[in-house]
Each structure stands twice: as C-alpha cells, then as structure tokens.
Amino acid sequence: MVIVLAEVIAVGWIYGVERFLDDIEFMIKRPFAGRILFIALWKFVVPAIISSILVLTAISHMPVSYLNYDFPTWAIVFGWVLAMMSIIPIPAYAFYYLVFEESGDFITRVKHSLQPSADWAPAVERNRADYRNWRTSTGHNLSHVIPHEMHMMIKTENNSKNDSVQAADHYDPYIER
C-alpha cells in the first residue's frame, strides 16, 4: 500500500495527472472521456482512501497468530524485514538523489526533484518528434519536455513562418498517419 500511495502521489502531483491524461490522449489519438473525474480521483480520492487504509491498518494491528498458535517475535520481525525490502528503496533513492545528484540549497533540490525530467519523451525517435509537435500545436508548455534553449529555437522558427505554412504543419494526434 505504501508503494501504491507513492505511485499515486507521483502521478497525481509530481508528474501531474493532467499531463498524464494528455499523454494517454496522445497515445490513443482521441480525447480521454471522464477527464475531470480522473483528475479528482488521482489527486484527492485515491490518496485519501489509501492513506485511510494505512492508518486504520496501523491502528488495528494485532499480533500475528494462526488458529491458537502465536508466532514468535523473530518470525514477525523477519516478516517485517521482508516487507520493508520492497519499500526501503523508495526513500533510499530519494535521499541519494537529494544528497548526491542535485546541487543548491535543500529547498531548491527538493523543488527540482519534484518536477518531471526535462529530457523525458517517448523512446522511439519518430514518436518523440510527434509528441513534441503535438505538445507544441496544442499549446502545452514544453519546458519539461525539451531544454529551454531548444524550446526558444522552436518558438523562433514558428514565429518566422507564415500562417499558411503553420496551418499545414499543424499536428493532429487524432489522425492516423
């Protein structure tokens, strides 16, 4: 549940559920139905439900037993160690990233680490170009998709074209190519 909560927070608040739904629309090449519902669910409802489940589970925790047999302390500790082996890497990597990979003061490092990667894009080059064209044509901010210098070059190129050429270059993700 802790990993699921981390994933929901990462998609809903760090990457952004709006951007995630935009990516889904790009992949399925049509508008995503129920957009407002999914935004509310991923940002508020699901994290609240998962957090409530975690808190209630911690509050109502009972010693582990099976029928009339109470497990020894070493077995319970071993079970918790096994469970933590899948959870510990998440805060461990966050600590490593904040300490060794980022520069600046602590607040700046945290703010930078809570943003999507600037070089994220689809892995296949053609899809990456289509993705950037689609994000530009639909008015999305490309500051998280491509470096600022490249974004300014694209902006300058688009401003220098005449309107008829711009209309011909418009990328529509809903049309099969």
Side-chain angles (χ1 to χ4, degrees):
M1 287 299 240
V2 173
I3 294 172
V4 173
L5 182 60
E7 289 175 353
V8 168
I9 290 171
V11 170
W13 292 95
I14 297 172
Y15 185 74
V17 69
E18 295 88 354
R19 184 172 174 179
F20 184 69
L21 293 173
D22 289 343
D23 293 346
I24 291 172
E25 286 180 357
F26 173 75
M27 289 184 278
I28 64 175
K29 297 185 179 357
R30 64 182 175 83
F32 187 77
R35 188 175 184 88
I36 294 171
L37 174 67
F38 274 89
I39 290 171
L41 287 172
W42 282 51
K43 279 191 164 189
F44 305 108
V45 177
V46 173
I49 290 172
I50 294 172
S51 298
S52 299
I53 291 170
L54 283 172
V55 168
L56 292 173
T57 301
I59 290 171
S60 64
H61 179 70
M62 303 278 285
V64 181
S65 64
Y66 181 71
L67 298 175
N68 289 331
Y69 178 74
D70 290 333
F71 286 95
T73 305
W74 69 266
I76 295 170
V77 169
F78 182 72
W80 277 105
V81 168
L82 284 178
M84 291 297 121
M85 289 177 76
S86 64
I87 297 171
I88 295 293
I90 296 170
Y93 182 76
F95 176 78
Y96 167 80
Y97 186 83
L98 287 173
V99 171
F100 298 108
E101 296 290 323
E102 289 293 318
S103 59
D105 64 7
F106 183 73
I107 300 298
T108 304
R109 290 183 284 183
V110 169
K111 283 182 182 178
H112 186 263
S113 69
L114 295 178
Q115 295 178 355
S117 174
D119 60 353
W120 185 93
V124 177
E125 182 58 42
R126 180 177 183 274
N127 294 344
R128 187 178 309 124
D130 288 348
Y131 181 75
R132 290 177 179 154
N133 289 337
W134 176 74
R135 292 213 35 110
T136 303
S137 70
T138 55
H140 290 89
N141 182 359
L142 289 175
S143 62
H144 295 302
V145 179
I146 56 177
H148 179 70
E149 296 79 19
M150 254 178 120
H151 179 64
M152 295 311 290
M153 287 172 40
I154 291 170
K155 204 172 188 181
T156 304
E157 287 175 15
N158 286 343
N159 289 343
S160 64
K161 294 179 180 179
N162 63 34
D163 291 338
S164 62
V165 173
Q166 281 185 335
D169 286 345
H170 177 75
Y171 177 77
D172 189 350
Y174 307 118
I175 297 174
E176 267 313 306
R177 291 182 178 218

